Amino acid sequence: MSETASFVDPVFLARFGLSRANVFDYFLHPLNPFRTKANTSNEILAMQGIGIGTLMQTGIGIGSGPLSPQAAEEEYSAALSRLTGEQYELLPPADPAHYWQPSPLYTIRHVLRTNPTSVKVLGIYYVLEGVIYKAPTVRSLMKANESRTLEGLSEACDVLSVCSRYQPSTGYTWKFEDDGEDDPVSLLKLSKRNKRRRVLDNRRPGERTDEEEEGIRASEAIDRILLRLNKSAST
C-alpha cells in the first residue's frame, strides 16, 4: 500500500457524520484499504455489542447508566487491554473539548497486543476531515526532505549559472548586476535547455527512478496533510 494513498466514504459521512463514538466503525469499513485482513479485537468487541457509542448510551452494565465520552473511551480501552491480537486504539485528542465536540482530526494506532501491558505498534493513521491517511514513515519523511533540499540546491545552481562569465585571459568571473547586455530570464531558460545531467546509470535528462518518483509523491502528500491541518486549526 502506497503511503500516498487515502480513503474516504462520502455516503457514511453524509448519513452518520464522524465523531469519536463512530470513528472505529468508519475506519473498519470493508472498502478501507488500510484495515488489516486479520480479525481484530475491535470487531470481537463489536460482536459483543461493546463500542464507544454503546458505552456512552448504556454504560458498562445493567442499571449503570450512560457514561461520559471520556469515561466511555477509557472503558473501551480497558476492554481492549483484556484481549490479545491486532487492535486499533483511538489516541486522546489534543484538546479535551473534542471528547464532546466533533474534531477535524482523529488519530488511530494499529497495535499487536500480547498481554495487557505489552503492545507493538504496527502503524498510525490519521482521519482528517473524513479522509483516512497512513502516517508517513521516517524513511519517507527523510526522502521528502532530501527531495526538497536537492530541488532547492538545483534551482540555486541554475540561477547562479547564468551569472558566471568566462574569459580565456581571466578565467571564470561572476556578474550579478544587469547592465542590459544580457537578459537573465533568457539566459536561465537557455541554461535549462542546455543542461545535461551526468549520471552513472545512463538515464536521460529529467528521467527519475521509481524511488525518486515515490519520494516526490510522498512529499506532495505530506504537504497536503499539513495544509489541511493548518486550515483546520485556523477555523
Side-chain angles (χ1 to χ4, degrees):
M1 173 64 63
S2 171
E3 293 181 355
T4 59
S6 61
F7 172 77
V8 61
D9 181 10
V11 176
F12 183 101
L13 297 175
R15 291 185 61 186
F16 307 108
L18 193 61
S19 67
R20 298 185 69 84
N22 66 357
V23 67
F24 280 129
D25 297 330
Y26 183 64
F27 188 86
L28 293 174
H29 191 289
L31 298 179
N32 179 15
F34 297 115
R35 61 169 293 179
T36 179
K37 296 181 180 179
N39 193 23
T40 64
S41 300
N42 307 78
E43 294 168 296
I44 295 175
L45 291 179
M47 288 187 291
Q48 299 174 2
I50 300 176
I52 296 176
T54 55
L55 290 171
M56 290 172 57
Q57 295 174 2
T58 62
I60 57 178
I62 299 177
S64 63
L67 296 178
S68 67
Q70 186 172 356
E73 287 191 30
E74 293 173 354
E75 184 61 33
Y76 185 79
S77 297
L80 283 177
S81 67
R82 292 189 286 267
L83 301 176
T84 59
E86 293 190 38
Q87 304 177 353
Y88 291 107
E89 300 176 338
L90 180 60
L91 300 186
D95 184 356
H98 286 150
Y99 277 114
W100 293 269
Q101 302 172 359
S103 171
L105 175 66
Y106 304 94
T107 306
I108 294 177
R109 187 170 69 167
H110 182 198
V111 301
L112 176 63
R113 184 180 295 277
T114 54
N115 59 59
T117 59
S118 178
V119 295
K120 177 183 179 182
V121 178
L122 302 179
I124 296 178
Y125 301 89
Y126 299 127
V127 185
L128 179 60
E129 295 181 346
V131 183
I132 301 175
Y133 300 95
K134 183 178 180 180
T137 62
V138 175
R139 179 175 179 269
S140 65
L141 286 174
M142 293 288 290
K143 289 174 64 177
N145 291 334
E146 180 183 352
S147 175
R148 292 192 186 100
T149 302
L150 292 177
E151 183 177 358
L153 289 174
S154 177
E155 291 177 355
C157 290
D158 288 341
V159 172
L160 287 174
S161 65
V162 301
C163 299
S164 64
R165 300 292 185 270
Y166 177 76
Q167 296 291 337
S169 58
T170 59
Y172 282 98
T173 58
W174 296 96
K175 181 181 179 182
F176 297 104
E177 296 181 357
D178 182 19
D179 56 5
E181 296 180 1
D182 300 310
D183 180 6
V185 177
S186 301
L187 289 173
L188 180 58
K189 292 181 179 179
L190 180 62
S191 174
K192 289 185 176 181
R193 284 199 302 267
N194 295 334
K195 186 178 179 181
R196 294 293 182 267
R197 288 196 317 171
R198 291 180 298 173
V199 291
L200 298 178
D201 55 0
N202 295 322
R203 280 182 289 157
R204 295 188 300 273
E207 185 178 358
R208 300 188 181 98
T209 64
D210 293 340
E211 290 188 355
E212 289 174 335
E213 291 288 352
E214 181 66 22
I216 293 174
R217 289 194 296 269
S219 175
E220 293 173 347
I222 293 170
D223 288 341
R224 288 195 297 270
I225 293 175
L226 293 176
L227 180 60
R228 297 188 68 173
L229 279 173
N230 185 52
K231 289 182 178 179
S232 298
S234 61
T235 56

